[in-house]
Amino acid sequence: MPAVVHLPVGKTLSVRTAADAFLDSLGNANTIRTYGIGVGKTALRLGEDRPLASVADDEVGEALEALWGTAAVNTWNARRASVLSWLGWCRERGHEAPVIPAWTKRLTVPDSDTPVRSRAAIDRLIARREVHLREKTLYRMLYESAGRSEEILGVNIEDLDFAGRRCQVKAKGARTKARRRGQVREDFVLETLYWDAGTARLLPRLLKGRTRGPVFLTHRRPGPGKVVNSRDVCPDTGLARLSYGQARALLDEHTAIGGPGTGWDLHEFRHSALTHLGQAGASLLMLMAKSRHKKPENLRRYFKPSPEAIAELTSLLAPGDSRR
C-alpha cells in the first residue's frame, strides 16, 4: 500500500513541500520516476518556496507551456497528467491549490508514422539466405503474434506452449498482483500471445533441443564484469538474452538501403500485422483482442489500410451493374 503522508496543517503549504509529499505517496517506482519529472520541473518553475495557495491557475498553464509547449504530444500529455494528479491530490486533502486552466488541454495523439510493410516484403526478408535462423524466427514471431518486440525478446522456453502455439508475456504497463519491492515477472498479470504455422516450423529448429532459458540468445557470453539476471542467461550454454538494441541493429543491417539507420524498425512487424488483419475483415473487437489494446483510439494508430484497400472498399458503393 502507498505510504500515508501527513501534510502540514493550514494554508502555508509550500510548492516544494506539496510536491515532495505527493511523490512520497506514490507506491510504484516507475510512476514516481515519471511523475517526478513533470511535478519537479513545474514546482521549480513556479517557485519552490512560495505558498501553493498563492499560485494562480494561469501560472500553472504558463509553466507547462514554457516547459513542454513544443514537446511531442505524448510528452505534453504525460507531464500535464502528472501535474493534474498532483494538484488534485492536494485539494482532496483540504489544501488550497490551483487547477490547470482550460486552455492547456490534453492533445489528441497523432497517427503513428511507422510504415506498414507488405506481406510479400516480410516473406522475402525472412526467406533471404543471409538472414540467420534466429532473426528469421524473431521476425516471423513478431509478425504472427503482433506482439511488442520487448515482449517477444523477453520470452523464455519455459513460457512456450508449443501445442497451443501461444506463450505468456509480461506486457507493457502490466498490472501488478501485489505491491512489493524487487518484483519479479510472476508478480505481474501476464498476457497471452498467439503465433501460427510459420513460427511453429522455425522454433524447434532454433531451439535445437534446448528446454530452458531465453528463446533468443546472443552468440557470446556476458563479459566478466557484467551483472546479468539469471532469467536472462541460458543455464546450459551460458549465452545471454538477445537485447532490443542488438535485434534492432540486425534488422537495420538486413533492410537498410540508404546507409546505417535507414532500415526497418522492429515495431513495423506489429503495425503491419494489425493492418493486414484489418484489411482481411477482422472486427475492431478482434483486433483489440489480438493487439491487447485497452482503448480503440490507441489501436487506430496501428491500422493503416493501403490505398488499394480503400479503393476496393469504395467499389462496394458503386451501382449494382457497374462491377459486371
Side-chain angles (χ1 to χ4, degrees):
M1 295 294 291
V4 177
V5 179
H6 297 283
L7 292 174
V9 179
K11 298 182 180 180
T12 58
L13 186 68
S14 71
V15 172
R16 172 46 59 189
T17 302
D20 289 342
F22 169 68
L23 294 174
D24 288 342
S25 71
L26 302 175
N28 186 283
N30 290 330
T31 305
I32 294 172
R33 182 167 54 252
T34 303
Y35 276 34
I37 298 173
V39 174
K41 290 189 175 182
T42 302
L44 185 63
R45 183 86 184 183
L46 294 173
E48 295 179 309
D49 297 329
R50 64 185 294 195
L52 181 64
S54 70
V55 178
D57 297 351
D58 282 346
E59 288 185 88
V60 179
E62 290 166 1
L64 289 171
E65 284 286 350
L67 291 167
W68 300 290
T70 59
V73 171
N74 285 330
T75 301
W76 164 265
N77 288 340
R79 304 296 178 251
R80 178 186 177 278
S82 65
V83 175
L84 183 68
S85 297
W86 166 43
L87 298 177
W89 183 87
C90 292
R91 288 193 300 275
E92 288 174 359
R93 280 148 186 81
H95 289 270
E96 289 189 16
V99 298
I100 293 181
W103 52 268
T104 53
K105 297 180 179 179
R106 186 183 188 279
L107 300 178
T108 301
V109 178
D111 290 344
S112 171
D113 57 359
T114 302
V116 171
R117 306 296 175 178
S118 68
R119 295 187 186 185
I122 293 172
D123 289 341
R124 285 196 300 268
L125 170 64
I126 296 173
R128 283 164 52 182
R129 289 187 176 183
E130 67 270 23
V131 176
H132 191 275
L133 176 61
R134 177 187 60 189
E135 285 83 77
K136 290 178 186 286
T137 309
L138 174 62
Y139 303 157
R140 181 60 69 185
M141 195 171 186
L142 284 169
Y143 178 66
E144 291 186 351
S145 69
R148 300 176 180 90
S149 50
E150 295 88 348
E151 296 169 347
I152 299 298
L153 290 169
V155 171
N156 275 22
I157 300 173
E158 301 93 315
D159 307 324
L160 301 176
D161 177 0
F162 291 96
R165 294 181 177 177
R166 68 190 71 179
C167 65
Q168 289 197 312
V169 298
K170 177 189 170 186
K172 177 182 178 182
R175 293 182 291 110
T176 57
K177 296 177 181 176
R179 290 182 176 272
R180 67 181 181 88
R181 293 184 178 181
Q183 289 176 319
V184 296
R185 181 177 181 273
E186 288 70 23
D187 292 327
F188 294 87
V189 177
L190 303 180
E191 298 181 356
T192 305
L193 292 182
Y194 299 83
W195 63 82
D196 205 77
T199 304
R201 284 193 295 267
L202 292 171
L203 270 175
R205 294 171 53 196
L206 174 68
L207 299 179
K208 294 180 180 179
R210 288 195 298 121
T211 58
R212 55 182 182 167
V215 173
F216 300 101
L217 296 171
T218 63
H219 296 313
R220 297 179 181 179
R221 298 189 177 190
K226 187 173 183 180
V227 179
V228 182
N229 188 300
S230 59
R231 177 178 165 80
D232 296 327
V233 178
C234 175
D236 299 323
T237 64
L239 301 176
R241 184 186 306 279
L242 184 70
S243 70
Y244 174 85
Q246 292 168 323
R248 184 177 183 180
L250 287 167
L251 177 60
D252 183 68
E253 180 182 331
H254 295 145
T255 56
I257 297 176
T262 62
W264 297 11
D265 189 89
L266 291 169
H267 209 49
E268 294 176 24
F269 291 104
R270 177 171 167 86
H271 274 254
S272 302
L274 295 176
T275 294
H276 297 161
L277 288 173
Q279 291 177 340
S283 68
L284 175 62
L285 291 177
M286 290 302 294
L287 285 175
M288 290 180 66
K290 179 66 173 176
S291 68
R292 294 164 291 119
H293 281 106
K294 303 301 185 291
K295 298 180 180 179
E297 59 267 26
N298 293 338
L299 174 61
R300 181 190 176 282
R301 301 176 60 229
Y302 287 79
F303 180 50
K304 296 181 177 179
S306 65
E308 293 76 17
I310 297 296
E312 182 177 353
L313 176 67
T314 305
S315 69
L316 298 177
L317 303 175
D321 58 350
S322 65
R323 299 178 65 187
R324 293 176 182 173

